[in-house]
Amino acid sequence: MTGDVAVLGAGMHPWGKWGRSFVEYGAAAARTALADAGIDWRDVQSVVGAGTVRCGYPGYVAGATFARALGWQGARVTSVYAACASGAQAISTARAQILAGMADVALVVGADSAPKGFFAPAGGERPDDPDWLRFRVLGATNPAYFALYARRRMALYGDTLEDFARVKVKNAAAGALNPGARYRRPVTLDDVAGSPVVADPLRLLDICATSDGAAALVLTSMDFARRHGAPDPVRIRAVSTVSPVYPRTVLDLPDIATDSSTAAPAPAEPFRAALTRAAYEEAGIGPEDISLAEVYDLSTALELEWYEDIGLCAAGEGAGLVRGGATALGGRVPVNTSGGLASFGEAVPAQAIAQVCEVTWQLRGQAGARQVPGARAAVTANQGLFGHGSSVIAVA
């Protein structure tokens, strides 16, 4: 049995701070995806909703919420939560249902209305909750975590503040071409350097905002796609959601300490690299086959780390890629052609779905001014709290 499922529809609600319900955003993205696929809502057999969160915690009934907003019609519903990887877990769930023969047509939706400022833990006393502890014990907001990684790269590899700023400049240039992006203004190195310090060494323009937004996909079996008049659709060939391997030897919030490496050797590869390696192995391709990538640029420094984790270069060489323009539009392997989180901000349940929307449009040749010529294969990658992460491979 092939592991491919077809992407017949992709839709988004623009990112921003709109002050409305996440249900409104998700329903709008779903209707756009259904129209793009040419499929009536009543023909959808499964709805998988990425769990909408508040301050990093799940609890909103996404699958059934979106099905109700679109109009009850009897489809099975599933709600999935995996922090920032929720969207990819929802894709994986829908794909599994299709490959198992449980559904021919599945709708995947993620949406959120994010708080102003950074994400903080929900109220209450929870001393056994690592996310609550990292705020209460360390005072470590997400920007503090991003700054720790930036300092680590500076110490290990000699990355500079200008290297980080180049990532923002690159992503802002792509985001300026994307009608769905929240921030659509090019920036310069001086703009980044002149923005306020948030968590040293990172400045305001080095980190992503929190946003409202939504994304949706219509996934189908390959047989259904052919019957529907789409003989050669974009296909999802692999979805990786592997977990970390003991011991964790690099601090990874919300955990506030590493595992001891005295009793066991460190893993051969870090968690993020394992995510994409598993996806490449499932898809039967490698980094050399990739035309573009969408990665989780919570900060500019973290994007450089992803270059290495998705196999574009060796450890410590990420800054060299951005310096040489290899990951910009027109470069060897453009990364974050959508503009990334730098241009969108975080709408947590929608982010991994939005990544697949972008690569779908790229692989169809529908990305307009940000189009990667001749795109044939793409990889997405992100990491969330509590050992969650994902990587998706799509091919034309």
Side-chain angles (χ1 to χ4, degrees):
M1 175 186 293
T2 175
D4 287 0
V5 297
V7 184
L8 285 199
M12 292 177 62
H13 182 289
W15 257 238
K17 284 286 188 179
W18 310 113
R20 299 194 295 274
S21 166
F22 77 93
V23 182
E24 180 179 336
Y25 309 144
R31 292 188 185 103
T32 302
L34 288 165
D36 183 45
I39 289 176
D40 189 275
W41 158 238
R42 290 166 294 187
D43 295 326
V44 173
Q45 298 161 327
S46 176
V47 180
V48 186
T52 296
V53 300
R54 288 297 178 272
C55 301
Y57 292 83
Y60 288 71
V61 185
T65 301
F66 295 131
R68 181 178 185 274
L70 294 166
W72 293 123
Q73 45 84 307
R76 73 169 68 237
V77 294
T78 311
S79 296
V80 176
Y81 175 71
C84 296
S86 295
Q89 291 272 19
I91 292 169
S92 181
T93 298
R95 176 176 179 245
Q97 291 176 352
I98 291 168
L99 294 178
M102 298 167 65
D104 265 337
V105 182
L107 174 67
V108 179
V109 190
D112 205 358
S113 302
K116 184 178 181 180
F118 54 75
F119 291 106
E125 301 287 312
R126 293 182 309 284
D128 57 348
D129 175 355
D131 205 37
W132 182 87
L133 282 171
R134 60 120 165 186
F135 280 88
R136 182 60 62 89
V137 176
L138 297 182
T141 63
N142 283 356
Y145 168 49
F146 309 154
L148 288 171
Y149 259 98
R151 280 292 177 197
R152 184 175 187 272
R153 290 197 62 85
M154 295 172 80
L156 287 178
Y157 307 129
D159 290 4
T160 67
L161 299 182
E162 189 167 295
D163 293 328
F164 302 153
R166 286 189 180 98
V167 175
K168 173 65 177 184
V169 171
K170 170 188 74 71
N171 288 348
L177 304 174
N178 192 337
R182 176 179 177 182
Y183 302 106
R184 300 193 59 198
R185 181 179 67 85
V187 302
T188 66
L189 293 175
D190 287 342
D191 290 333
V192 181
S195 64
V197 173
V198 175
D200 190 42
L202 298 180
R203 297 180 176 272
L204 184 63
L205 294 185
D206 281 304
I207 61 177
C208 70
T210 61
S211 289
D212 298 357
L217 295 166
V218 176
L219 306 182
T220 76
S221 67
M222 293 302 297
D223 285 344
F224 179 92
R226 296 183 185 105
R227 295 196 305 270
H228 193 67
D232 192 25
V234 170
R235 303 177 300 284
I236 291 178
R237 180 154 290 173
V239 183
S240 165
T241 58
V242 300
S243 58
V245 173
Y246 179 87
R248 303 293 296 276
T249 56
V250 177
L251 182 65
D252 201 1
L253 294 179
D255 296 324
I256 59 177
T258 59
D259 297 326
S260 170
S261 58
T262 58
E269 60 186 355
F271 174 43
R272 287 190 294 269
L275 283 164
T276 53
R277 176 188 52 76
Y280 288 135
E281 289 180 355
E282 182 182 350
I285 63 176
E288 67 278 2
D289 301 307
I290 293 299
S291 306
L292 70 146
E294 285 286 306
V295 303
Y296 204 44
D297 60 315
L298 291 161
S299 79
T300 51
L302 282 171
E303 178 167 321
L304 296 180
E305 192 106 351
W306 277 116
Y307 297 170
E308 300 156 16
D309 292 328
I310 67 175
L312 299 185
C313 61
E317 297 178 0
L321 291 189
V322 77
R323 289 172 197 158
T327 57
L329 291 174
R332 176 171 63 86
V333 184
V335 176
N336 286 338
T337 59
S338 66
L341 297 183
S343 300
F344 278 77
E346 286 192 272
V348 172
Q351 288 156 190
I353 302 171
Q355 289 181 324
V356 177
C357 287
E358 173 66 15
V359 302
T360 295
W361 294 322
Q362 289 283 352
L363 295 173
R364 289 177 177 174
Q366 297 176 337
R370 64 185 191 281
Q371 180 65 49
V372 176
R376 301 298 300 167
V379 62
T380 75
N382 75 57
Q383 180 183 1
L385 299 177
F386 316 119
H388 290 121
S390 70
S391 180
V392 177
I393 296 211
V395 298

